[in-house]
Each structure stands twice: as C-alpha cells, then as structure tokens.
Amino acid sequence: MHRPASAFVIALGAALAFSNTVLAGTSPIPVSGPSPYAGCTVGAGTGTLFTNAEVEPQVTAKGSFLVAAFQQDRWSNGGAHGLVAGVSHDGGTTWSETFAHFSSCSGGTATNGGNYDRASGPSVSFAPNGDVYQISLSASADLITSAILVSKSTNGGDTWSEPITIRRDSSAFNFNDKESITADPTNASDVYAVWDRSRFPSDNADFNALHSFAFRGDIFFSRTTNGGTSWEAPRDLFTQNKNQFAIGNQIVVLPNGTLVDIFNLGKGSGIQPSDQFFQAVIRSIDKGVTWSKPIIISKDMSVAVTDPDTGAPVRAGAGLADIAVDRTTGTLYAVWADGRFSNGAHDDIALSRSTDGGLTWSAPVKINQTTNNAAAFTPSVYVAADGTVGVTSYDFRNNTAAAGVPTDYWLVRCSSSADCTNPANWSETHVAGSFDIEIAPVSRGYFLGDYEGLTTVGSDFNTFLPFFVQANTGNTTNRTDVFAASV
C-alpha cells in the first residue's frame, strides 16, 4: 500500500448601499487558469466534459502560505480530469498551480499508483510543521473502481509526493466518496482521513440506489501517526445492519485534542419521511482509536435548489454541513443549508453552536441576510484568530426577469464578543458577483461545487479569505474559474 515519495512540480502562470452590508476588502483574484489537462483524452465515457471548468475548491493556510485544491475539467456524470492545487507564498496576492498524480491526466501511472480516469472531492490541510496533505477520490470512468489517495508536500505545495492508496474498491456494490483530510494542529505526526463508503443494493452503482430500502453508507476512517510515511488500515466507524447512511464527513480537532467528525445522517431512505435526515457528529477522545455514537445536532430540512427562472436543478451540496472550531475556546460552529426558516419554500443558511465539545448543540438560527425569499446555499464556516466567526454562501437575491440568473457570493460575520446564536449579531459583506449560474457546468444540476473554501490570512489571521468558484458569464469555453478574495 505504501509507495516511496518522489517530488515533482509543474508550475503554471498562475458600492452597495449600507444596511448591514459592506464591500469586500479586495476584488476577487483569479487563481485558476487554462486547463493543464486540456489535451488529455483519458476518462471519456458517456458524460459531457467541460474543459477549463473548475469546481469545488478547498483551501488551507499556514503563515503566508496558502494551498488550495479544486477539480479541473469537470465531467457531467462524476469527477474531473484531475485535481489542481493553487499555491500562494505571499498570503494570497499571487498564485501558481501544481498538481499531484491523482489521475492519468495529471501524470498518474500504474507505477506511481495514480492511473485513474478521473479525480474528485479535493481536500487539503496544513500540519503544524508546515507539511501539507492533499486527498483525492480517484475513480474509473464507469465509477466501478474508486480509491482514496493521499499526497504530501514538504515545501508549501510546490511539489507533491507520489500518492499513497489508503482504500481501493472495484465493485459495483461499493463506492468511496466525499473524503476529507485533517492534519492534527496539536501534533505534526497525526493526520486523519475520513470518507463515506456506500453499499449499494444491487450491481447498479447509480445515485438512484439511494431510494432503495437496502441502501447503506458507512463512515470509513484512517490515520497516520508518523507524518504520512504509512497509513493505518481503514476502519468502519458506522457498521450496522440498519437502513442508515452517513455522508459528508469532516473532522476538526479541539484544543484538547478531541476529534469531532460532522456528517449528514440518514435514518431510512426510499419512501421514509423526509424528517429522517439529521446533521450529526461523532467524537473521539483518543485520537481516533474509539468513537462515540452519533450525537444529533438538528434535523436536516434542506430543500432542492432550483433555477428561479426555469426550475432547472442547481446542485448545491444540499444536506452537507461544514464545521469549524475556535482554536482558543474550543467552541464549535456548524452550518448547512436549511428550509425550515421559509417553511420549505427555499434554503437559508442555518448555524448551530456547541460550547461543550460537540456534546450538545444550540437550536439552529438563520444567519444569511437575504430577505426577498431567494435561495441561499453552499455555506462554509471558519473562525478567525480573534474568535470572529465567518460564513460564506451563494444566493439569488439579485435575480430579475431578464435572461440568466445573477448569483452572488457573500460573507456574514459575528464578532467574538457577541452571541452568535442571535441572528441580529451577524453583519454582511458582498464578496463577488453577480455572475450567471446558468453558464456553470451541469452535473445533476448547475454545479459550482458541493462545498467551497474559507480560511483566514494576514499578520493577525483575522482577515477572511473566501476561496470559491464563479461562472464566467457568457463564456461557454471557460465556464468557471476559482477566485480568492480578502474580506
């Protein structure tokens, strides 16, 4: 399973009226450029390829170093030509691009372990010693083979080791998905990988399998305790003979070393009532050796996001939560899109807080500032060094009867001295837009990503840096790009 590391690098060039609303600190900076995989023909299948379309970014920061990862050249039926890493050594002012061998288009071979048709689900994390880890869901074009691969950089993302395979399945009955990686901020040797592994009811690996009473989905976990030299055999944290599943796992580490994994918990599928979906966490107080049973945060009452003009689907990561921790106090914040505040008419952004390490959670509150019944979706959350909480999301508030659907990106924040469970204590900043989401690539709906990135930068780490996708209005040859903005 373990392969020796060998480094490589491919460098490429890389005023609203005030009413609780302010302008972003800087104009968005483009991070992505022309596709480095444009000439690659690997991975062809029945889907549509959107060359130059970047989606689903994640970002991590340490000092003035920033590393982000995103899907490059998205396919309509799953995955992309490969993952690309955006790298900045000056706090996000300038960017270059590198990539690991997670797919054949990005240099993966049978020898280095990356010979997969497609890659997806990027996640990145800095360790306290400056090492940065990147994880990929790599798969065959028919999605029968799926694998979880990890690569490491010891120079801030400029070069990447050959991938290590943590898990590989080649079966129509199983699929690995929605992986994330977390380097332990309390110990540079410990890094945690978590993902869901679906168990389909038949030999048809299709998303419609979710409607079967036989559908299951388990939480798989692996860790390294030696800085990525080797990884422990994956363990199923959720094995049970019940009609339940988990998806969208993400681990954060509390100041005392406790691990908290958030996920969407489905208790029943098919024709079961819609209130059988929950946001939940599990906890580990021994670095992942043992885990608690699921702790419910709240019901998940998300609704489908649709084009307000045509009713066409918008894929917005419905049901997937994001989580962040205050590194000083240990306070946890969870956010997700939820329809409860509009009686199911559209999604808003819900926030819940835990002050006891995830054991109990506050009642969800609406924190987006949208007031015109427009959908808000795909939230990300992060806590600045001074305890200020920031949450980003998209919304359709500026849509009109004209052609296209103007879409904007926003950040709301709550200061450390305020009660963030009070919606009145949140203020709003416009980050980017408007852009026409109808230009975005289509993958079960107009698709910018099931999640976006958010971190902080600056000498005091109190400046938020959203890392997100915009559609390039009117440009069908370069439908989307990744941007960063200081707020």
Side-chain angles (χ1 to χ4, degrees):
M1 180 176 292
H2 173 250
R3 299 179 187 279
S6 64
F8 77 101
V9 60
I10 298 180
L12 306 175
L16 298 178
F18 185 84
S19 58
N20 259 16
T21 301
V22 295
L23 289 173
T26 63
S27 297
I29 297 171
V31 175
S32 59
S35 171
Y37 312 142
C40 183
T41 59
V42 175
T46 58
T48 299
L49 175 65
F50 296 96
T51 304
N52 292 317
E54 297 88 4
V55 298
E56 205 163 74
Q58 291 282 269
V59 65
T60 185
K62 183 171 178 58
S64 60
F65 284 68
L66 289 142
V67 177
F70 48 87
Q71 296 184 47
Q72 179 69 61
D73 302 348
R74 174 70 192 194
W75 287 91
S76 63
N77 60 341
H81 264 162
L83 305 185
V84 167
V87 177
S88 176
H89 292 181
D90 55 15
T93 302
T94 60
W95 294 83
S96 62
E97 290 187 338
T98 65
F99 44 84
H101 291 149
F102 287 142
S103 65
S104 295
C105 289
S106 64
T109 66
T111 300
N112 61 34
N115 57 326
Y116 293 89
D117 298 325
R118 302 180 185 184
S120 185
S123 178
V124 286
S125 186
F126 264 112
N129 66 351
D131 292 344
V132 61
Y133 295 84
Q134 184 181 176
I135 195 168
S136 171
L137 162 61
S138 297
S140 57
D142 58 11
L143 305 183
I144 297 298
T145 299
S146 62
I148 303 299
L149 309 183
V150 173
S151 182
K152 173 182 172 180
S153 173
T154 59
N155 54 13
D158 286 343
T159 61
W160 296 92
S161 71
E162 298 294 11
I164 292 176
T165 301
I166 298 180
R167 175 82 190 196
R168 186 180 189 273
D169 285 292
S170 188
S171 166
F173 293 93
N174 304 115
F175 192 78
N176 299 288
D177 196 13
K178 290 288 181 290
E179 76 288 357
S180 66
I181 195 163
T182 303
D184 193 322
T186 70
N187 188 332
S189 296
D190 296 342
V191 187
Y192 313 107
V194 65
W195 65 96
D196 67 84
R197 182 173 177 269
S198 303
R199 290 182 282 145
F200 292 96
S202 70
D203 59 354
N204 179 20
D206 189 288
F207 288 104
N208 290 325
L210 182 64
H211 300 293
S212 167
F213 286 106
F215 185 84
R216 306 287 190 275
D218 301 320
I219 300 173
F220 267 62
F221 170 83
S222 178
R223 67 176 186 171
T224 176
T225 58
N226 54 21
T229 300
S230 61
W231 288 77
E232 294 178 356
R235 291 185 288 117
D236 186 352
L237 308 182
F238 202 57
T239 299
Q240 52 191 313
N241 189 25
K242 296 180 180 179
N243 189 18
Q244 296 187 5
F245 60 93
I247 192 171
N249 295 272
Q250 295 181 63
I251 291 173
V252 293
V253 184
L254 302 186
N256 67 4
T258 297
L259 310 187
V260 180
D261 174 41
I262 194 169
F263 56 95
N264 188 272
L265 171 63
K267 293 186 176 182
S269 56
I271 61 173
Q272 297 285 357
S274 60
D275 65 355
Q276 296 300 302
F277 295 88
F278 300 84
Q279 304 299 346
V281 297
I282 53 176
R283 293 167 23 101
S284 174
I285 61 174
D286 52 15
K287 301 293 186 178
V289 176
T290 61
W291 292 82
S292 71
K293 293 182 179 180
I295 299 166
I296 300 299
I297 299 173
S298 174
K299 287 183 179 180
D300 166 31
M301 302 176 67
S302 57
V303 296
V305 179
T306 59
D307 184 316
D309 292 346
T310 67
V314 175
R315 180 174 167 184
L320 300 178
D322 196 22
I323 190 169
V325 60
D326 186 319
R327 293 295 313 156
T328 300
T329 67
T331 300
L332 290 161
Y333 299 90
V335 295
W336 65 95
D338 201 287
R340 74 184 66 204
F341 309 108
S342 64
N343 292 319
H346 60 81
D347 273 343
D348 289 294
I349 306 305
L351 174 135
S352 180
R353 181 185 70 184
S354 175
T355 58
D356 59 8
L359 295 171
T360 61
W361 293 81
S362 64
V365 295
K366 173 188 170 182
I367 58 170
N368 58 301
Q369 307 293 297
T370 317
T371 59
N372 63 346
N373 296 319
F377 51 94
T378 319
S380 302
V381 62
Y382 200 80
V383 183
D386 66 359
T388 300
V389 185
V391 177
T392 51
S393 62
Y394 297 99
D395 74 24
F396 292 146
R397 72 177 70 180
N398 289 322
N399 186 47
T400 67
V405 177
T407 306
D408 291 80
Y409 204 54
W410 305 86
L411 180 137
V412 293
R413 73 184 85 201
C414 175
S415 72
S416 59
S417 61
D419 176 8
C420 294
T421 64
N422 182 348
N425 290 330
W426 291 81
S427 61
E428 180 182 70
T429 301
H430 184 249
V431 177
S434 295
F435 59 86
D436 183 8
I437 200 172
E438 291 182 344
I439 296 299
V442 176
S443 180
R444 308 201 324 268
Y446 298 122
F447 188 47
L448 304 173
D450 284 334
Y451 41 78
E452 306 293 319
L454 181 62
T455 189
T456 54
V457 293
S459 59
D460 55 5
F461 293 98
N462 292 324
T463 299
F464 287 102
L465 187 135
F467 197 85
F468 60 98
V469 170
Q470 289 190 92
N472 296 315
T473 302
N475 189 345
T476 57
T477 61
N478 180 25
R479 291 179 178 268
T480 51
D481 273 302
V482 175
F483 292 83
S486 298
V487 182

